Amino acid sequence: MFQVNDNFQKLPGSYLFSTIAKKVSAYQQENPDKNLIRLGIGDVTQPLAPAIIKALHAAVDEMGAAETFHGYAPDLGYEFLRSAIAKNDYESRGCDISADEIFVSDGAKCDSSNIQELFSADCKIAVCDPVYPVYVDSNVMAGRTGVYDAKTEMWSNVIYMPCTMENGFVPEFPKETPDVIYLCLPNNPTGTTITKSQLQEWVDYANKNGAIIIYDAAYEAYISEDDVAHSIYECEGAKTCAIEIRSFSKNAGFTGVRLGFTVVPKDLKRQDVSLHGMWARRHGTKFNGAPYIIQRAGEAVYSEEGKAQLKEQVAYYMKNASVIKSGLQEAGYTVFGGVNAPYIWLKTPDQMNSWEFFDYLLANANVVGTPGSGFGPSGEGYFRLTAFGSYENTVAALERIKKM
Ligand SMILES: *Cc1c(COP(=O)(O)O)cnc(C)c1O
């Protein structure tokens, strides 16, 4: 008789976003006349930029002709895309990353969860708290996290690095040395980030302690401040201690298109084993490449036309972020984020906990957001709003919140 992977049974029961969906649909059933505005979404809403649509059409046409048809893509991605990434995301920022250190994939969620396969089962992971839930859950599935304590909402074998108002949402070096450190900067959910010199300290810490940093830069395109690194490889020594994960989802609206990449530098080794070689082997065995059509669309992200159009798209969302941030501040809230990320993280008022504020906001403003406690114990007492809605809805939502 087969046995299932018990680790899956350890995952806590309810998934945050399905709990929210249930609550919202119950509210709507009782109040069918209310017009809800959703500022909880972690998905883009603007259509794909014209330069990308053009590239998609052209690639589709190529696939319909015998001489330009493409079958399986190279495991690591097409050269045209990898060199566009190397040039635009790395060379232009002074990072010494070559095209053959870039692994094209179908998104950062897969990469950030699959990357843990490179590490032994007893590696100790450290995560920021609050955290993008994928990092923890994928390690739970791999049996690396120990026992879950429902009361503290913590795993016995995970090192939590609280990021709160008190430390400016900057993770502090943990007492116990971790093996694998997950950093998501700019951060989802807090919308905050750290300076380049603070990131350099993390790189130095990892090199000194023989740890590795998994650096999720999915929100890189939203950085507006000069002293924030766009890539961890802007820091000296990062090539011997960091893997960087990127996505086309948030900077180019590819959430329904699917494209991402991971950088595993050739200098990244443990004893004599190359992590670059391991990831190449893993890709070769378990992944058959991102579609040709989509990789051509990714190439268009780096065209002059594409860059200009996407700059506007990011600016559109960041205008929403500023509407949310200034609106909340006017209404007397304590607010974070929204400067280098499309997320606004607010302190819940009047000692409400995160779910109490969720209900309060839903009932009194008909606005849906995300309770901070859903991202980890240190998220309790906070709440996330996102800038991914339409401008009109965002403005209307803030008018309602101000009247509460
Ligand atoms: C949205 C998001 C991603 C992107 O995932 P894709 O699979 O590329 O769509 C990755 N990491 C974080 C933290 C995110 O919020």
Side-chain angles (χ1 to χ4, degrees):
M1 195 169 66
F2 75 85
Q3 301 291 328
V4 298
N5 178 350
D6 269 345
N7 296 321
F8 280 61
Q9 271 55 54
K10 296 183 195 159
L11 289 163
S14 61
Y15 178 60
L16 172 65
F17 290 95
S18 47
T19 311
I20 292 173
K22 264 188 224 143
K23 272 184 171 269
V24 170
S25 85
Y27 180 83
Q28 220 156 19
Q29 249 164 16
E30 285 165 36
N31 305 276
D33 55 318
K34 302 284 196 207
N35 167 30
L36 301 186
I37 299 179
R38 291 165 200 274
L39 295 188
I41 34 176
D43 195 355
V44 297
T45 53
Q46 291 287 298
L48 291 172
I52 294 162
I53 295 294
K54 199 168 87 183
L56 284 167
H57 278 300
V60 167
D61 287 341
E62 281 185 58
M63 294 295 271
E67 58 280 8
T68 48
F69 171 78
H70 285 80
Y72 287 127
D75 284 348
L76 308 192
Y78 284 102
E79 181 56 34
F80 62 78
L81 178 58
R82 298 162 86 201
S83 56
I85 293 168
K87 177 162 173 277
N88 290 280
D89 285 326
Y90 296 106
E91 200 183 300
S92 73
R93 299 202 178 273
C95 306
D96 178 25
I97 294 294
S98 62
D100 60 1
E101 293 176 300
I102 294 162
F103 297 77
V104 174
S105 73
D106 57 1
K109 191 185 212 177
C110 297
D111 282 353
S112 67
S113 60
N114 291 331
I115 200 78
Q116 54 76 24
E117 293 174 27
L118 300 189
F119 307 104
S120 78
D122 55 3
C123 272
K124 191 117 185 179
I125 67 157
V127 296
C128 292
D129 172 22
V131 64
Y132 181 57
V134 173
Y135 311 152
V136 176
D137 288 2
S138 56
N139 279 285
V140 172
M141 291 169 177
R144 196 176 281 116
T145 51
V147 183
Y148 186 68
D149 179 345
K151 204 155 160 206
T152 59
E153 298 180 358
M154 287 181 172
W155 295 90
S156 61
N157 204 32
V158 173
I159 299 169
Y160 293 82
M161 303 182 289
C163 293
T164 62
M165 234 160 74
E166 286 68 35
N167 59 18
F169 304 96
V170 180
E172 293 163 43
F173 302 127
K175 287 195 196 77
E176 184 185 359
T177 309
D179 299 306
V180 181
I181 302 160
Y182 287 84
L183 294 179
C184 171
L185 297 164
N187 190 257
N188 178 12
T190 69
T192 60
T193 195
I194 67 177
T195 63
K196 186 175 162 182
S197 55
Q198 286 170 322
L199 184 60
Q200 181 68 56
E201 288 174 23
W202 274 99
V203 169
D204 296 343
Y205 173 86
N207 274 324
K208 186 168 144 246
N209 291 292
I212 189 159
I213 297 173
I214 310 293
Y215 192 76
D216 185 340
Y219 295 96
E220 170 276 329
Y222 292 84
I223 294 171
S224 70
E225 291 181 318
D226 286 340
D227 62 350
V228 178
H230 286 251
S231 162
I232 195 165
Y233 303 114
E234 288 177 44
C235 295
E236 214 170 305
K239 289 209 307 182
T240 55
C241 70
I243 288 173
E244 181 163 293
I245 296 173
R246 296 264 192 122
S247 167
F248 287 75
S249 286
K250 312 302 177 6
N251 65 329
F254 275 43
T255 53
V257 178
R258 312 303 310 138
L259 193 65
F261 62 89
T262 286
V263 179
V264 187
K266 292 190 170 158
D267 291 349
L268 194 57
K269 292 188 176 129
R270 184 55 77 238
Q271 275 91 40
D272 281 337
V273 181
S274 153
L275 274 83
H276 181 275
M278 285 176 76
W279 193 239
R281 185 72 172 81
R282 193 264 170 213
H283 240 44
T285 298
K286 296 196 183 182
F287 186 59
N288 247 344
Y292 173 74
I293 296 166
I294 306 304
Q295 293 196 48
R296 281 292 181 200
E299 182 188 30
V301 167
Y302 297 103
S303 67
E304 287 312 312
E305 222 187 337
K307 278 195 254 188
Q309 291 164 1
L310 293 170
K311 205 169 156 192
E312 270 179 51
Q313 210 168 71
V314 166
Y316 177 91
Y317 294 130
M318 287 312 279
K319 188 167 142 196
N320 290 346
S322 132
V323 166
I324 299 171
K325 187 160 189 166
S326 59
L328 288 171
Q329 281 168 336
E330 274 171 51
Y333 288 85
T334 306
V335 193
F336 307 93
V339 176
N340 297 297
Y343 296 114
I344 282 83
W345 189 246
L346 62 105
K347 188 84 193 81
T348 57
D350 307 324
Q351 313 293 319
M352 273 188 243
N353 72 32
S354 298
W355 278 109
E356 284 165 353
F357 186 72
F358 175 91
D359 292 332
Y360 176 78
L361 194 66
L362 181 60
N364 295 286
N366 301 142
V367 170
V368 182
T370 313
S373 56
F375 298 100
S378 293
E380 182 58 275
Y382 295 91
F383 199 78
R384 191 190 77 171
L385 295 176
T386 84
F388 286 130
S390 71
Y391 178 69
E392 294 70 23
N393 276 346
T394 305
V395 170
L398 267 293
E399 286 311 312
R400 292 185 194 174
I401 292 173
K402 283 187 217 166
K403 287 198 196 109
M404 270 196 324

